[in-house]
Amino acid sequence: IMSQEMVDVVCAKLGVEAACRTHLLPLPGGEATADLAGLARASGVSEFAVERMVYRHGTNAAKILDLLKDNPRWGDLVCRCDPVTEAELRWSIRNEWVRRLSDLRRRTRLGCGPCQGTRCAMRAAAVMADELKLNADEMHAQAFDLLNDRWKGIRPILSGAQMQQEEIRHAALFGTGRLHELMKESM
């Protein structure tokens, strides 16, 4: 309804007389219903991971899983909290104008689960670096930005023992690798 109303407003401002069709056209990937079990069986990816992929991409999940024909290891999970495969990351980078890990987070829910990116940020940054030809510093900066954004997102709701545990996790993350240097540079 909001899309239809916005199209009507834009058309009126532009002086265009056209009937809104947004409610008649499916979003990309919404043209049909995907066969979850068939896609999982054909790709070797768990049905749960395929289900989440279909939820995010609709029938485009089949195109994502087609990437496994040439690169079977891309079926491995990068983010286990909300199962995100390497193929899904690569497909999103190649086809959806993704340029930052935060874009991947919004598109695939990378780093949105219980670990808040702790377990997947560096691996996802490595995939992004490979796809976009980023150097090591750019790759680390991507990981830092994602982890720092996740920290800022959860910090206001923590208290007591939760806050203490998250402070330890945050200190461990930013005290290893080069992330602590990147943190200083960004402040």
Side-chain angles (χ1 to χ4, degrees):
I1 292 173
M2 289 172 33
S3 298
Q4 185 173 354
E5 289 173 0
M6 182 53 67
V7 168
D8 291 342
V9 168
V10 170
C11 285
K13 289 205 180 269
L14 295 175
V16 174
E17 289 191 34
C20 178
R21 300 179 343 129
T22 58
H23 62 290
L24 302 173
L25 304 172
L27 293 171
E31 305 83 16
T33 302
D35 174 18
L36 296 176
L39 288 170
R41 202 172 28 259
S43 66
V45 173
S46 76
E47 193 166 334
F48 179 61
V50 171
E51 178 184 357
R52 298 301 297 150
M53 190 182 299
V54 167
Y55 174 77
R56 292 186 287 263
H57 301 278
T59 56
N60 286 334
K63 295 174 185 175
I64 295 168
L65 294 169
D66 279 344
L67 295 174
L68 302 181
K69 291 176 183 170
D70 293 330
N71 301 287
R73 70 174 180 81
W74 289 359
D76 294 346
L77 294 178
V78 173
C79 181
R80 294 185 181 283
C81 297
D82 197 329
V84 178
T85 64
E86 184 172 339
E88 185 176 358
L89 297 180
R90 290 181 183 277
W91 192 86
S92 293
I93 293 166
R94 292 175 184 179
N95 296 286
E96 297 180 330
W97 306 287
V98 168
R99 292 297 171 258
R100 307 199 49 76
L101 284 182
S102 58
D103 297 335
L104 281 174
R105 180 185 58 82
R106 284 185 289 277
R107 184 61 181 108
T108 67
R109 295 194 40 80
L110 172 82
C112 288
C115 85
Q116 294 293 294
T118 304
R119 301 170 108 188
C120 60
M122 285 306 294
R123 183 152 179 224
V127 170
M128 180 165 273
D130 183 51
E131 285 291 321
L132 299 178
K133 309 300 181 228
L134 304 177
N135 64 39
D137 288 338
E138 293 167 323
M139 180 183 83
H140 282 101
Q142 288 282 337
F144 167 76
D145 289 345
L146 177 70
L147 292 169
N148 205 35
D149 284 348
R150 300 312 304 143
W151 172 246
K152 285 190 251 179
I154 63 169
R155 192 169 191 273
I157 62 170
L158 299 174
S159 64
Q162 281 183 318
M163 176 61 95
Q164 293 167 351
Q165 288 299 313
E166 285 301 315
E167 287 281 359
I168 291 169
R169 183 185 71 80
H170 190 73
L173 277 174
F174 292 102
T176 60
R178 259 190 85 252
L179 294 178
H180 67 285
E181 293 173 23
L182 291 168
M183 187 170 81
K184 288 178 189 172
E185 292 170 8
S186 72
M187 294 181 162

